[in-house]
Amino acid sequence: MTITPDTGSPDSAGTPTASPAPAASPAPAAPSASPAVPAPGHPREVIQAVIGRHWLACGLLAFVEVGVAQALAGERLGVARLAARCHADPDSLTWLLRAMAPAGLVAADGDEWYLLPPGEALVDDRPDSLQSTVWRHGDPAYGQMLRTLPDNVASRPAAVPTFSPIGAALADGGGTDATDAASPSTTGGETMDARRHILTMLNAFGDFAALLVAARQDWAGHLYDGPLPLLDLAGRLGAPPGDIEVIAHALVELGVVASSPEEGYALTDAGRTLHDDRPDSMRTAVLMGADRVWWEAMWSLSTAVRTGRPSLPPPYRSGYEYLADNPDAQHLFDRFMTHRSAPIAERLGAWATTATVPDGSVVVDVGGGRGTLLAAVLSARDTCRGVLVERDVVIPQARAYLAGHGVAGRCELVAGDFFTDLPAARDVYLLGSVLHNWGDTDALRLLRAVRAAIGGGSSRLLCVEALLPERPRSAASHNALLYGINLRMMSLFPQGHERTGTEYEALLREAGFTVSSTASLPHGLTLVTAEPAGT
């Protein structure tokens, strides 16, 4: 059976259903220059889209810093030749190109890549080149200013510089020059559209900074019970009204806050998802993205593209090593993963009530964090038992989470290395967003460890992963997050990346599994069910 990605809305209602085969994709065309805030299928998608566009903007920085536009100017090159010209790791460069294709910078013709008009606007020797503008946005000082904007809003007496999702910069010398958008050489239609597209991508930095202010200052907590006038909101936040008005204007443009002369500022449905107490809260996703090491790794994505390794401070080699040494970051990450998994867990629990899961089955959640998915399955099937295999630093939080959901008495916690410490001969093995943390060699090693644990039995393997389309598609709507997260994985985990259905199927087949079904899950994820080959 062929694995195909879900092509519908990431939050379509109902229980998981088999995913249809995707329609054939035409060669990508130059995108519209209009900065689209997508029409979401779920309020969370507004926040997800802002995050995704921010990650794609970091990809744009890497695209310029590695020299892809310059190397492709007037040419079509395969990845090997392009990587040699850019002094880049071929695999990492491929993943960058995959993300920048739906973002409208490049396209592929067979095995060769070429520039689209927005990408051509980044070639240095053009008189109207935007390369220097992108370079300025890549200045670490600019990135640090964005990350610390919530502190500046709360502490300094002077108003922050005006900005909006499609407007000017956040700091002097750090943003888009007014002349960039309307210089005499850019009055031609296609050229103007291409340049506007690049500038719109760069404005994603300001969008995320505004969202970060709202998350860090807990605007949702203050506005959840009803609207507040500007002065009342500023008083609660302990910040100058002028600064709050600037941030509020940006959030209105993003669809996170609404305003009216009579009532002041109120949360939209999307803004309400930033409340901490919601099980599907997006607040931790925003805060985790601004964690110092997470932020710096993404800001120096070009280093990962060149070397094939994350750009993390020594001695850390992966994001998980950093989390193990930093309890506050680990706690935030665990909360983020719990919130991220909540809608998926709900759907998976509904699936467990209808699927053929025999009474008394034992479900092994491999690298399952706090056990969000496992708790959902056990809550839905009260005759089943569970085993959670996780790092020792996560086990205390998992124990508390499972107890809070009333399933701790039916769940064994195993602190260990899931490459070597998997319990054998259980009924179901679950890998929830685990394989994308690893390169093909380690992902195959993990799948083979699961296959060895199954032995001669007929256990099933469930994999929850995001599946990239076989060919790049438009990064509009929720796809911005899908393509952007591939850059995020590359920035934090050695060789970590998302895969297409064909690539996942090849890994499973090489590890000794046969795919039996696929089903769509919220937020563009897919549930892949596999069985030992030959059973």
Side-chain angles (χ1 to χ4, degrees), residues 405-426:
H405 285 73
V407 297
R410 291 187 283 129
C411 191
E412 175 187 357
L413 302 181
V414 176
D417 182 346
F418 53 43
F419 287 106
T420 57
D421 298 328
L422 294 181
R426 302 306 197 266

mmCIF file with all atom_site columns, all heavy atoms in Angstrom, residues 405-426:
data_model
loop_
_atom_site.group_PDB
_atom_site.id
_atom_site.type_symbol
_atom_site.label_atom_id
_atom_site.label_alt_id
_atom_site.label_comp_id
_atom_site.label_asym_id
_atom_site.label_entity_id
_atom_site.label_seq_id
_atom_site.pdbx_PDB_ins_code
_atom_site.Cartn_x
_atom_site.Cartn_y
_atom_site.Cartn_z
_atom_site.occupancy
_atom_site.B_iso_or_equiv
_atom_site.pdbx_formal_charge
_atom_site.auth_seq_id
_atom_site.auth_comp_id
_atom_site.auth_asym_id
_atom_site.auth_atom_id
_atom_site.pdbx_PDB_model_num
ATOM 1   N N   . HIS A 1 405 ? -4.618 11.575  34.400 1.00 0.00 ? 405 HIS A N   1
ATOM 2   C CA  . HIS A 1 405 ? -5.616 11.078  33.455 1.00 0.00 ? 405 HIS A CA  1
ATOM 3   C C   . HIS A 1 405 ? -6.164 9.710   33.854 1.00 0.00 ? 405 HIS A C   1
ATOM 4   O O   . HIS A 1 405 ? -6.880 9.072   33.073 1.00 0.00 ? 405 HIS A O   1
ATOM 5   C CB  . HIS A 1 405 ? -5.021 11.020  32.041 1.00 0.00 ? 405 HIS A CB  1
ATOM 6   C CG  . HIS A 1 405 ? -4.892 12.371  31.407 1.00 0.00 ? 405 HIS A CG  1
ATOM 7   N ND1 . HIS A 1 405 ? -3.927 13.288  31.803 1.00 0.00 ? 405 HIS A ND1 1
ATOM 8   C CD2 . HIS A 1 405 ? -5.616 12.987  30.427 1.00 0.00 ? 405 HIS A CD2 1
ATOM 9   C CE1 . HIS A 1 405 ? -4.059 14.396  31.073 1.00 0.00 ? 405 HIS A CE1 1
ATOM 10  N NE2 . HIS A 1 405 ? -5.065 14.242  30.246 1.00 0.00 ? 405 HIS A NE2 1
ATOM 11  N N   . GLY A 1 406 ? -5.807 9.284   35.064 1.00 0.00 ? 406 GLY A N   1
ATOM 12  C CA  . GLY A 1 406 ? -6.406 8.073   35.613 1.00 0.00 ? 406 GLY A CA  1
ATOM 13  C C   . GLY A 1 406 ? -5.965 6.772   34.979 1.00 0.00 ? 406 GLY A C   1
ATOM 14  O O   . GLY A 1 406 ? -6.658 5.759   35.103 1.00 0.00 ? 406 GLY A O   1
ATOM 15  N N   . VAL A 1 407 ? -4.802 6.760   34.328 1.00 0.00 ? 407 VAL A N   1
ATOM 16  C CA  . VAL A 1 407 ? -4.361 5.533   33.659 1.00 0.00 ? 407 VAL A CA  1
ATOM 17  C C   . VAL A 1 407 ? -3.015 5.045   34.176 1.00 0.00 ? 407 VAL A C   1
ATOM 18  O O   . VAL A 1 407 ? -2.475 4.059   33.651 1.00 0.00 ? 407 VAL A O   1
ATOM 19  C CB  . VAL A 1 407 ? -4.290 5.731   32.123 1.00 0.00 ? 407 VAL A CB  1
ATOM 20  C CG1 . VAL A 1 407 ? -5.666 6.027   31.548 1.00 0.00 ? 407 VAL A CG1 1
ATOM 21  C CG2 . VAL A 1 407 ? -3.295 6.824   31.764 1.00 0.00 ? 407 VAL A CG2 1
ATOM 22  N N   . ALA A 1 408 ? -2.449 5.712   35.205 1.00 0.00 ? 408 ALA A N   1
ATOM 23  C CA  . ALA A 1 408 ? -1.119 5.332   35.686 1.00 0.00 ? 408 ALA A CA  1
ATOM 24  C C   . ALA A 1 408 ? -1.089 3.891   36.178 1.00 0.00 ? 408 ALA A C   1
ATOM 25  O O   . ALA A 1 408 ? -0.067 3.200   36.042 1.00 0.00 ? 408 ALA A O   1
ATOM 26  C CB  . ALA A 1 408 ? -0.671 6.283   36.800 1.00 0.00 ? 408 ALA A CB  1
ATOM 27  N N   . GLY A 1 409 ? -2.185 3.416   36.749 1.00 0.00 ? 409 GLY A N   1
ATOM 28  C CA  . GLY A 1 409 ? -2.212 2.047   37.252 1.00 0.00 ? 409 GLY A CA  1
ATOM 29  C C   . GLY A 1 409 ? -2.151 0.997   36.167 1.00 0.00 ? 409 GLY A C   1
ATOM 30  O O   . GLY A 1 409 ? -1.886 -0.177  36.458 1.00 0.00 ? 409 GLY A O   1
ATOM 31  N N   . ARG A 1 410 ? -2.382 1.402   34.939 1.00 0.00 ? 410 ARG A N   1
ATOM 32  C CA  . ARG A 1 410 ? -2.325 0.456   33.812 1.00 0.00 ? 410 ARG A CA  1
ATOM 33  C C   . ARG A 1 410 ? -1.135 0.737   32.903 1.00 0.00 ? 410 ARG A C   1
ATOM 34  O O   . ARG A 1 410 ? -1.110 0.296   31.747 1.00 0.00 ? 410 ARG A O   1
ATOM 35  C CB  . ARG A 1 410 ? -3.618 0.524   32.991 1.00 0.00 ? 410 ARG A CB  1
ATOM 36  C CG  . ARG A 1 410 ? -4.828 -0.017  33.722 1.00 0.00 ? 410 ARG A CG  1
ATOM 37  C CD  . ARG A 1 410 ? -6.044 -0.077  32.811 1.00 0.00 ? 410 ARG A CD  1
ATOM 38  N NE  . ARG A 1 410 ? -6.671 1.218   32.589 1.00 0.00 ? 410 ARG A NE  1
ATOM 39  C CZ  . ARG A 1 410 ? -6.970 1.731   31.404 1.00 0.00 ? 410 ARG A CZ  1
ATOM 40  N NH1 . ARG A 1 410 ? -6.655 1.061   30.311 1.00 0.00 ? 410 ARG A NH1 1
ATOM 41  N NH2 . ARG A 1 410 ? -7.554 2.899   31.303 1.00 0.00 ? 410 ARG A NH2 1
ATOM 42  N N   . CYS A 1 411 ? -0.157 1.487   33.425 1.00 0.00 ? 411 CYS A N   1
ATOM 43  C CA  . CYS A 1 411 ? 0.960  1.886   32.561 1.00 0.00 ? 411 CYS A CA  1
ATOM 44  C C   . CYS A 1 411 ? 2.295  1.677   33.263 1.00 0.00 ? 411 CYS A C   1
ATOM 45  O O   . CYS A 1 411 ? 2.499  2.140   34.382 1.00 0.00 ? 411 CYS A O   1
ATOM 46  C CB  . CYS A 1 411 ? 0.801  3.352   32.155 1.00 0.00 ? 411 CYS A CB  1
ATOM 47  S SG  . CYS A 1 411 ? 1.919  3.865   30.844 1.00 0.00 ? 411 CYS A SG  1
ATOM 48  N N   . GLU A 1 412 ? 3.197  0.989   32.602 1.00 0.00 ? 412 GLU A N   1
ATOM 49  C CA  . GLU A 1 412 ? 4.565  0.790   33.090 1.00 0.00 ? 412 GLU A CA  1
ATOM 50  C C   . GLU A 1 412 ? 5.463  1.856   32.466 1.00 0.00 ? 412 GLU A C   1
ATOM 51  O O   . GLU A 1 412 ? 5.383  2.128   31.260 1.00 0.00 ? 412 GLU A O   1
ATOM 52  C CB  . GLU A 1 412 ? 5.060  -0.602  32.700 1.00 0.00 ? 412 GLU A CB  1
ATOM 53  C CG  . GLU A 1 412 ? 6.512  -0.873  33.061 1.00 0.00 ? 412 GLU A CG  1
ATOM 54  C CD  . GLU A 1 412 ? 7.025  -2.191  32.501 1.00 0.00 ? 412 GLU A CD  1
ATOM 55  O OE1 . GLU A 1 412 ? 6.226  -2.930  31.874 1.00 0.00 ? 412 GLU A OE1 1
ATOM 56  O OE2 . GLU A 1 412 ? 8.224  -2.472  32.661 1.00 0.00 ? 412 GLU A OE2 1
ATOM 57  N N   . LEU A 1 413 ? 6.328  2.474   33.272 1.00 0.00 ? 413 LEU A N   1
ATOM 58  C CA  . LEU A 1 413 ? 7.252  3.490   32.783 1.00 0.00 ? 413 LEU A CA  1
ATOM 59  C C   . LEU A 1 413 ? 8.655  2.904   32.716 1.00 0.00 ? 413 LEU A C   1
ATOM 60  O O   . LEU A 1 413 ? 9.173  2.394   33.708 1.00 0.00 ? 413 LEU A O   1
ATOM 61  C CB  . LEU A 1 413 ? 7.231  4.709   33.703 1.00 0.00 ? 413 LEU A CB  1
ATOM 62  C CG  . LEU A 1 413 ? 5.869  5.390   33.879 1.00 0.00 ? 413 LEU A CG  1
ATOM 63  C CD1 . LEU A 1 413 ? 5.991  6.597   34.807 1.00 0.00 ? 413 LEU A CD1 1
ATOM 64  C CD2 . LEU A 1 413 ? 5.283  5.813   32.546 1.00 0.00 ? 413 LEU A CD2 1
ATOM 65  N N   . VAL A 1 414 ? 9.269  3.002   31.561 1.00 0.00 ? 414 VAL A N   1
ATOM 66  C CA  . VAL A 1 414 ? 10.606 2.458   31.335 1.00 0.00 ? 414 VAL A CA  1
ATOM 67  C C   . VAL A 1 414 ? 11.543 3.607   30.976 1.00 0.00 ? 414 VAL A C   1
ATOM 68  O O   . VAL A 1 414 ? 11.390 4.251   29.925 1.00 0.00 ? 414 VAL A O   1
ATOM 69  C CB  . VAL A 1 414 ? 10.610 1.403   30.212 1.00 0.00 ? 414 VAL A CB  1
ATOM 70  C CG1 . VAL A 1 414 ? 12.037 0.920   29.942 1.00 0.00 ? 414 VAL A CG1 1
ATOM 71  C CG2 . VAL A 1 414 ? 9.704  0.239   30.556 1.00 0.00 ? 414 VAL A CG2 1
ATOM 72  N N   . ALA A 1 415 ? 12.501 3.895   31.843 1.00 0.00 ? 415 ALA A N   1
ATOM 73  C CA  . ALA A 1 415 ? 13.505 4.916   31.563 1.00 0.00 ? 415 ALA A CA  1
ATOM 74  C C   . ALA A 1 415 ? 14.678 4.255   30.851 1.00 0.00 ? 415 ALA A C   1
ATOM 75  O O   . ALA A 1 415 ? 15.333 3.378   31.414 1.00 0.00 ? 415 ALA A O   1
ATOM 76  C CB  . ALA A 1 415 ? 13.976 5.563   32.866 1.00 0.00 ? 415 ALA A CB  1
ATOM 77  N N   . GLY A 1 416 ? 14.906 4.673   29.631 1.00 0.00 ? 416 GLY A N   1
ATOM 78  C CA  . GLY A 1 416 ? 16.007 4.030   28.910 1.00 0.00 ? 416 GLY A CA  1
ATOM 79  C C   . GLY A 1 416 ? 16.148 4.553   27.496 1.00 0.00 ? 416 GLY A C   1
ATOM 80  O O   . GLY A 1 416 ? 15.538 5.546   27.101 1.00 0.00 ? 416 GLY A O   1
ATOM 81  N N   . ASP A 1 417 ? 16.963 3.855   26.734 1.00 0.00 ? 417 ASP A N   1
ATOM 82  C CA  . ASP A 1 417 ? 17.280 4.185   25.347 1.00 0.00 ? 417 ASP A CA  1
ATOM 83  C C   . ASP A 1 417 ? 16.370 3.353   24.450 1.00 0.00 ? 417 ASP A C   1
ATOM 84  O O   . ASP A 1 417 ? 16.437 2.117   24.456 1.00 0.00 ? 417 ASP A O   1
ATOM 85  C CB  . ASP A 1 417 ? 18.751 3.857   25.088 1.00 0.00 ? 417 ASP A CB  1
ATOM 86  C CG  . ASP A 1 417 ? 19.197 4.215   23.682 1.00 0.00 ? 417 ASP A CG  1
ATOM 87  O OD1 . ASP A 1 417 ? 18.333 4.464   22.811 1.00 0.00 ? 417 ASP A OD1 1
ATOM 88  O OD2 . ASP A 1 417 ? 20.413 4.225   23.437 1.00 0.00 ? 417 ASP A OD2 1
ATOM 89  N N   . PHE A 1 418 ? 15.514 4.013   23.668 1.00 0.00 ? 418 PHE A N   1
ATOM 90  C CA  . PHE A 1 418 ? 14.565 3.205   22.890 1.00 0.00 ? 418 PHE A CA  1
ATOM 91  C C   . PHE A 1 418 ? 15.224 2.454   21.734 1.00 0.00 ? 418 PHE A C   1
ATOM 92  O O   . PHE A 1 418 ? 14.590 1.630   21.084 1.00 0.00 ? 418 PHE A O   1
ATOM 93  C CB  . PHE A 1 418 ? 13.362 4.019   22.412 1.00 0.00 ? 418 PHE A CB  1
ATOM 94  C CG  . PHE A 1 418 ? 13.641 5.282   21.649 1.00 0.00 ? 418 PHE A CG  1
ATOM 95  C CD1 . PHE A 1 418 ? 14.615 5.366   20.664 1.00 0.00 ? 418 PHE A CD1 1
ATOM 96  C CD2 . PHE A 1 418 ? 12.876 6.415   21.898 1.00 0.00 ? 418 PHE A CD2 1
ATOM 97  C CE1 . PHE A 1 418 ? 14.838 6.518   19.953 1.00 0.00 ? 418 PHE A CE1 1
ATOM 98  C CE2 . PHE A 1 418 ? 13.080 7.594   21.171 1.00 0.00 ? 418 PHE A CE2 1
ATOM 99  C CZ  . PHE A 1 418 ? 14.059 7.640   20.199 1.00 0.00 ? 418 PHE A CZ  1
ATOM 100 N N   . PHE A 1 419 ? 16.493 2.715   21.461 1.00 0.00 ? 419 PHE A N   1
ATOM 101 C CA  . PHE A 1 419 ? 17.187 1.888   20.477 1.00 0.00 ? 419 PHE A CA  1
ATOM 102 C C   . PHE A 1 419 ? 17.515 0.501   21.041 1.00 0.00 ? 419 PHE A C   1
ATOM 103 O O   . PHE A 1 419 ? 17.704 -0.450  20.293 1.00 0.00 ? 419 PHE A O   1
ATOM 104 C CB  . PHE A 1 419 ? 18.479 2.573   20.025 1.00 0.00 ? 419 PHE A CB  1
ATOM 105 C CG  . PHE A 1 419 ? 18.268 3.748   19.117 1.00 0.00 ? 419 PHE A CG  1
ATOM 106 C CD1 . PHE A 1 419 ? 18.450 5.043   19.585 1.00 0.00 ? 419 PHE A CD1 1
ATOM 107 C CD2 . PHE A 1 419 ? 17.894 3.575   17.804 1.00 0.00 ? 419 PHE A CD2 1
ATOM 108 C CE1 . PHE A 1 419 ? 18.264 6.138   18.761 1.00 0.00 ? 419 PHE A CE1 1
ATOM 109 C CE2 . PHE A 1 419 ? 17.699 4.661   16.955 1.00 0.00 ? 419 PHE A CE2 1
ATOM 110 C CZ  . PHE A 1 419 ? 17.885 5.945   17.446 1.00 0.00 ? 419 PHE A CZ  1
ATOM 111 N N   . THR A 1 420 ? 17.586 0.419   22.377 1.00 0.00 ? 420 THR A N   1
ATOM 112 C CA  . THR A 1 420 ? 18.035 -0.851  22.972 1.00 0.00 ? 420 THR A CA  1
ATOM 113 C C   . THR A 1 420 ? 17.110 -1.394  24.057 1.00 0.00 ? 420 THR A C   1
ATOM 114 O O   . THR A 1 420 ? 17.232 -2.561  24.423 1.00 0.00 ? 420 THR A O   1
ATOM 115 C CB  . THR A 1 420 ? 19.435 -0.665  23.602 1.00 0.00 ? 420 THR A CB  1
ATOM 116 O OG1 . THR A 1 420 ? 19.384 0.385   24.575 1.00 0.00 ? 420 THR A OG1 1
ATOM 117 C CG2 . THR A 1 420 ? 20.462 -0.316  22.535 1.00 0.00 ? 420 THR A CG2 1
ATOM 118 N N   . ASP A 1 421 ? 16.187 -0.583  24.582 1.00 0.00 ? 421 ASP A N   1
ATOM 119 C CA  . ASP A 1 421 ? 15.423 -0.984  25.763 1.00 0.00 ? 421 ASP A CA  1
ATOM 120 C C   . ASP A 1 421 ? 13.939 -1.181  25.493 1.00 0.00 ? 421 ASP A C   1
ATOM 121 O O   . ASP A 1 421 ? 13.101 -0.933  26.365 1.00 0.00 ? 421 ASP A O   1
ATOM 122 C CB  . ASP A 1 421 ? 15.595 0.070   26.873 1.00 0.00 ? 421 ASP A CB  1
ATOM 123 C CG  . ASP A 1 421 ? 17.041 0.212   27.317 1.00 0.00 ? 421 ASP A CG  1
ATOM 124 O OD1 . ASP A 1 421 ? 17.765 -0.806  27.282 1.00 0.00 ? 421 ASP A OD1 1
ATOM 125 O OD2 . ASP A 1 421 ? 17.447 1.326   27.687 1.00 0.00 ? 421 ASP A OD2 1
ATOM 126 N N   . LEU A 1 422 ? 13.570 -1.635  24.313 1.00 0.00 ? 422 LEU A N   1
ATOM 127 C CA  . LEU A 1 422 ? 12.159 -1.840  24.012 1.00 0.00 ? 422 LEU A CA  1
ATOM 128 C C   . LEU A 1 422 ? 11.670 -3.172  24.568 1.00 0.00 ? 422 LEU A C   1
ATOM 129 O O   . LEU A 1 422 ? 12.317 -4.207  24.378 1.00 0.00 ? 422 LEU A O   1
ATOM 130 C CB  . LEU A 1 422 ? 11.927 -1.806  22.497 1.00 0.00 ? 422 LEU A CB  1
ATOM 131 C CG  . LEU A 1 422 ? 12.164 -0.472  21.788 1.00 0.00 ? 422 LEU A CG  1
ATOM 132 C CD1 . LEU A 1 422 ? 11.868 -0.598  20.304 1.00 0.00 ? 422 LEU A CD1 1
ATOM 133 C CD2 . LEU A 1 422 ? 11.308 0.622   22.401 1.00 0.00 ? 422 LEU A CD2 1
ATOM 134 N N   . PRO A 1 423 ? 10.530 -3.183  25.250 1.00 0.00 ? 423 PRO A N   1
ATOM 135 C CA  . PRO A 1 423 ? 9.956  -4.447  25.720 1.00 0.00 ? 423 PRO A CA  1
ATOM 136 C C   . PRO A 1 423 ? 9.506  -5.296  24.541 1.00 0.00 ? 423 PRO A C   1
ATOM 137 O O   . PRO A 1 423 ? 9.027  -4.773  23.528 1.00 0.00 ? 423 PRO A O   1
ATOM 138 C CB  . PRO A 1 423 ? 8.771  -4.005  26.583 1.00 0.00 ? 423 PRO A CB  1
ATOM 139 C CG  . PRO A 1 423 ? 8.440  -2.637  26.098 1.00 0.00 ? 423 PRO A CG  1
ATOM 140 C CD  . PRO A 1 423 ? 9.720  -2.021  25.642 1.00 0.00 ? 423 PRO A CD  1
ATOM 141 N N   . ALA A 1 424 ? 9.668  -6.587  24.651 1.00 0.00 ? 424 ALA A N   1
ATOM 142 C CA  . ALA A 1 424 ? 9.411  -7.496  23.528 1.00 0.00 ? 424 ALA A CA  1
ATOM 143 C C   . ALA A 1 424 ? 7.988  -8.048  23.559 1.00 0.00 ? 424 ALA A C   1
ATOM 144 O O   . ALA A 1 424 ? 7.342  -8.112  24.609 1.00 0.00 ? 424 ALA A O   1
ATOM 145 C CB  . ALA A 1 424 ? 10.413 -8.650  23.555 1.00 0.00 ? 424 ALA A CB  1
ATOM 146 N N   . ALA A 1 425 ? 7.539  -8.427  22.366 1.00 0.00 ? 425 ALA A N   1
ATOM 147 C CA  . ALA A 1 425 ? 6.309  -9.202  22.190 1.00 0.00 ? 425 ALA A CA  1
ATOM 148 C C   . ALA A 1 425 ? 5.077  -8.536  22.780 1.00 0.00 ? 425 ALA A C   1
ATOM 149 O O   . ALA A 1 425 ? 4.235  -9.188  23.394 1.00 0.00 ? 425 ALA A O   1
ATOM 150 C CB  . ALA A 1 425 ? 6.487  -10.596 22.776 1.00 0.00 ? 425 ALA A CB  1
ATOM 151 N N   . ARG A 1 426 ? 4.939  -7.210  22.593 1.00 0.00 ? 426 ARG A N   1
ATOM 152 C CA  . ARG A 1 426 ? 3.706  -6.534  22.965 1.00 0.00 ? 426 ARG A CA  1
ATOM 153 C C   . ARG A 1 426 ? 2.812  -6.414  21.729 1.00 0.00 ? 426 ARG A C   1
ATOM 154 O O   . ARG A 1 426 ? 3.203  -6.751  20.626 1.00 0.00 ? 426 ARG A O   1
ATOM 155 C CB  . ARG A 1 426 ? 3.994  -5.161  23.567 1.00 0.00 ? 426 ARG A CB  1
ATOM 156 C CG  . ARG A 1 426 ? 4.902  -5.177  24.798 1.00 0.00 ? 426 ARG A CG  1
ATOM 157 C CD  . ARG A 1 426 ? 4.395  -6.116  25.888 1.00 0.00 ? 426 ARG A CD  1
ATOM 158 N NE  . ARG A 1 426 ? 5.007  -5.831  27.173 1.00 0.00 ? 426 ARG A NE  1
ATOM 159 C CZ  . ARG A 1 426 ? 6.094  -6.434  27.655 1.00 0.00 ? 426 ARG A CZ  1
ATOM 160 N NH1 . ARG A 1 426 ? 6.694  -7.370  26.927 1.00 0.00 ? 426 ARG A NH1 1
ATOM 161 N NH2 . ARG A 1 426 ? 6.574  -6.097  28.845 1.00 0.00 ? 426 ARG A NH2 1
#
